[in-house]
Amino acid sequence: MTEVAGDDAGVKVLDDAVPEEDGEELIRTQLRQRTLEMWLALRNQHVKLHLFSGVEVCGVFQAVDAKHENLVIYNLDSGIGVVPTALVRWSDVLSMTTQGDGDASAGWV
């Protein structure tokens, strides 16, 4: 519904648009929701982590902490050996890739 406000000399049209701050809050909420959905979709997926040190490690993604600071990776293969459960600082990760459909024989995406 559109409202008209003002006196006879100057008429202003007020839209039913969402206030800017409410719109920004909605966008932030949607981004948080998408991020949570991404983490859930990654659970039990084979991932390759490209670290800032130039090292690549592989494992099975399990979880991320509430502040998105640490990743829990099962069977982390560092090239030297396999760690059954590893906690990797997200700040050490340059990028993360997954294998198509979680199939170990599929290529990295």
Side-chain angles (χ1 to χ4, degrees):
M1 177 174 145
T2 302
E3 295 180 30
V4 177
D7 56 292
D8 293 341
V11 175
K12 297 179 183 176
V13 177
L14 305 175
D15 292 326
D16 285 338
V18 177
E20 187 174 329
E21 51 203 40
D22 288 344
E24 290 174 4
E25 183 177 337
L26 177 62
I27 291 169
R28 283 193 301 273
T29 300
Q30 291 172 341
L31 289 173
R32 278 191 301 270
Q33 180 70 30
R34 288 179 186 170
T35 301
L36 292 173
E37 289 171 357
M38 176 200 65
W39 291 128
L40 285 172
L42 281 173
R43 186 174 167 110
N44 295 320
Q45 295 291 315
H46 290 275
V47 295
K48 184 184 291 185
L49 303 175
H50 307 271
L51 307 178
F52 277 106
S53 61
V55 175
E56 290 182 357
V57 295
C58 299
V60 179
F61 178 85
Q62 286 302 306
V64 64
D65 68 359
K67 292 184 179 181
H68 302 253
E69 294 174 348
N70 299 295
L71 307 174
V72 178
I73 308 292
Y74 285 174
N75 300 320
L76 182 75
D77 185 356
S78 65
I80 298 173
V82 176
V83 179
T85 304
L87 190 64
V88 179
R89 287 186 305 241
W90 188 235
S91 61
D92 290 339
V93 177
L94 181 61
S95 66
M96 179 170 52
T97 56
T98 62
Q99 286 185 327
D101 297 329
D103 181 6
S105 64
W108 292 97
V109 180

